[in-house]
Amino acid sequence: MNTHQVDLLVIGGGAAGMTAALTAKRAGLNVCLCEKAPYVGGITATSGGTTWVPGTHLSDAAGVPDRVEDADIFLQHVCHGRPGDDMRAAFLQSGPQMIAELDAHTDVKFVAAAAHPDYIGNLPGEAYGGRALAPLPFEGSVLGKEFDRVRPPRREFMGLGGMMVNRNELDALLNPFRSSANLKTTLKVVLPYFKSRLRFKRGTRLVMGNALVGRLYYSLLKHQVPVWFESPMRSLIVENGKVTGALVEHQGQTVAIHAKKGVVLATGGVGHHEALRRQYFPAGTPDSYAPESHNADGICAARDIGAALDNTQYPALWFPTSYQTLSDGYRAMWPHIILDRAKPGLLAVLSDGKRFVNESNSYHDFSSAQIAHSENGKLPTAYLIVDDAFVRRYGLGFIMPGGKKLAHFVEKGYLTRADTLAGLAERCGIDAAALQNTVERYNQLAAQGEDTDFHRGSSAMNRFNGDASVQPNPCLRPLSPTGPYYALAVRPADLASSLGLACNTFGQVLNTEGQPIEGLFACGNDLASIFKGTYPGPGTTIGPGMVFGWRIAKFAAGQLKPV
């Protein structure tokens, strides 16, 4: 058997794993990163890339200074009664240091959003801006032939066959001739795209999660960190109770990689692992946004040597999702995150015809409320109910603002249309009388501008994602008294697992007796969520993933020690 010797072995090339490898190399360790897929990026590559890290110097630079102490107060209220105070304290302590180090010494660059509120509102210590960090766009062509190693976004989120677009550019591209500013933005995005397609399979202007992945990978290459692609881990090597390496398949051979300082598991969490999903996830939630290669490799390998799971009560982080099957059989998923649910003139009901949630709350809270209405192990379908004016102004899921191809989406069954609410209810299997009463009640609340039933529009995050031109409540508008009306079915899919390995504040994996397994670490979604089933703000998976990757590397290098 071939052997290889390193100081630290990282299994998994998402944001957390790459941060661990990059930090370890900068700390003087000999590192190897093994990635199962032919790409780096993991879930991060297909995400918005926002990274929630309170108290950084970037918040000061953006004019929205944030304090770790305020974030601590906020998290105490968000996670009240849930374990993990020590993990959250470690995250808050190291987050600003991690961001400062990456900003000063690597190509990983963020900017703090001046306006991107925390997801759980009306709590002490919440922030309107400063904590959500967005990766700066990245020109992927500097990677040369290595550009193909960056996992592409999902097909449904690229235009013209391979072009990435920032959220704030979408309106301009949909309406390029509405104004000179729109045309300028459109040309700024589209012309470089066509130029890049002369050399590359897709556009090289990377934004959101793809930009973060590109920046991390570029930094790894510049620091000469070896990355082994299509090299899955088969098992951990254990000697006298200590993890000393792993068996990895690489270029058709099994290689024993011995790691003096240990092995870091960052393989993406539960993902599509059927047995773990069947055991811990709610019935009726089979869909995951994770890449197909994510199959709990790290979690299973750790459990095989006695590691403990954590967060079994809160297995995943959710968003409401609608689906359409494309002509080639590809099943496209649309995550209803910010573009439609919070806008005025939409309400959500279950088959009983009744509202069940503040529709403008975070995607995780929306889907959690839907899951909570499961009965006898059956997950109810939720329906987003809108009128014609809503679809044409804001779009809905795959339907872009302006209502283009609206008839096509109805014909294909993605969207249900009817001239009356009763007709809509009949076609969807919704209680017609209850739906009529619900819409009448919703319209009354919208007219008065206050949702006394579910408090929609009562938080900064609600209002931020609403429509400021609608007053007095940017999240409420009565539905039209005349049709047509539309319904879109949505179901929860997990964007990441909350269930993961139990670890201490240095990322050391714990055994079933709560003791560290020497030489074994976990970060990213292989580490159980430090927020214990809550979702405090935008980027609360990527932020802790990167911070604990950084802490593990510092600990392994002897630069971070118990107090």
Side-chain angles (χ1 to χ4, degrees), residues 400-416:
M400 293 293 100
K404 296 177 182 178
K405 300 180 67 175
L406 184 55
H408 165 81
F409 284 104
V410 172
E411 179 185 347
K412 293 297 182 181
Y414 176 70
L415 195 65
T416 301

Side-chain angles (χ1 to χ4, degrees), residues 117-120 128 342 360-362 459-466:
D118 289 333
Y119 281 172
I120 303 175
Y128 186 77
S360 298
N361 276 353
S362 80
S459 73
M461 192 272 283
N462 280 190
R463 296 187 293 274
F464 177 76
N465 289 327

Side-chain angles (χ1 to χ4, degrees), residues 2 6 24 34 71 73 89 102 167 211-212 244 261 321-322 342 433 468 498 501:
N2 292 334
V6 296
C34 291
I73 294 170
L102 291 178
R167 298 186 189 104
L212 176 54
T244 59
K261 301 293 185 179
T321 306
S322 58
S498 184
L501 296 168

Side-chain angles (χ1 to χ4, degrees), residues 30 32 73 93 126 184 190 195 209 257 266 275 310 381 384 461 509 537 549:
N30 179 19
C32 180
I73 294 170
Q93 178 189 46
E126 69 176 292
K184 182 178 180 181
V190 173
K195 182 179 179 180
I257 304 180
D310 190 13
T381 299
L384 307 181
M461 192 272 283
V509 176

Side-chain angles (χ1 to χ4, degrees), residues 365-378:
D365 290 343
F366 180 100
S367 289
S368 295
Q370 183 177 354
I371 292 169
H373 281 76
S374 298
E375 292 184 358
N376 302 318
K378 185 176 181 180

Side-chain angles (χ1 to χ4, degrees), residues 294-496:
H294 289 201
N295 202 34
D297 293 354
I299 291 174
C300 292
R303 292 185 80 191
D304 285 345
I305 64 167
L309 284 179
D310 190 13
N311 280 12
T312 53
Q313 289 181 287
Y314 320 106
L317 302 168
W318 310 100
F319 51 49
T321 306
S322 58
Y323 306 85
Q324 67 162 331
T325 301
L326 304 184
S327 58
D328 61 356
Y330 175 76
R331 189 168 182 249
M333 302 171 64
W334 184 275
H336 294 263
I337 295 178
I338 62 171
L339 295 178
D340 48 29
R341 282 185 305 103
K343 298 297 189 290
L346 175 150
L347 66 151
V349 301
L350 302 177
S351 60
D352 62 5
K354 299 177 181 178
R355 292 176 71 200
F356 63 97
V357 70
N358 176 342
E359 296 90 346
S360 298
N361 276 353
S362 80
Y363 35 92
H364 175 68
D365 290 343
F366 180 100
S367 289
S368 295
Q370 183 177 354
I371 292 169
H373 281 76
S374 298
E375 292 184 358
N376 302 318
K378 185 176 181 180
L379 176 72
T381 299
Y383 299 89
L384 307 181
I385 308 294
V386 300
D387 57 19
D388 194 65
F390 181 98
V391 177
R392 297 186 185 281
R393 180 164 184 175
Y394 304 115
L396 185 65
F398 285 103
I399 305 162
M400 293 293 100
K404 296 177 182 178
K405 300 180 67 175
L406 184 55
H408 165 81
F409 284 104
V410 172
E411 179 185 347
K412 293 297 182 181
Y414 176 70
L415 195 65
T416 301
R417 178 191 186 278
D419 291 330
T420 65
L421 289 171
L424 190 69
E426 180 180 358
R427 293 180 182 181
C428 295
I430 300 172
D431 184 308
L435 178 62
Q436 185 70 50
N437 291 336
T438 296
V439 172
E440 289 177 1
R441 171 65 176 169
Y442 173 87
N443 283 351
Q444 291 171 359
L445 298 173
Q448 71 187 30
E450 183 180 6
D451 179 9
T452 54
D453 291 348
F454 290 94
H455 311 290
R456 187 170 175 184
S458 63
S459 73
M461 192 272 283
N462 280 190
R463 296 187 293 274
F464 177 76
N465 289 327
D467 183 344
S469 70
V470 176
Q471 294 297 325
N473 189 324
C475 300
L476 293 175
R477 172 186 67 76
L479 271 67
S480 170
T482 59
Y485 301 101
Y486 301 91
L488 180 63
V490 295
R491 297 177 66 82
D494 62 273
L495 62 98

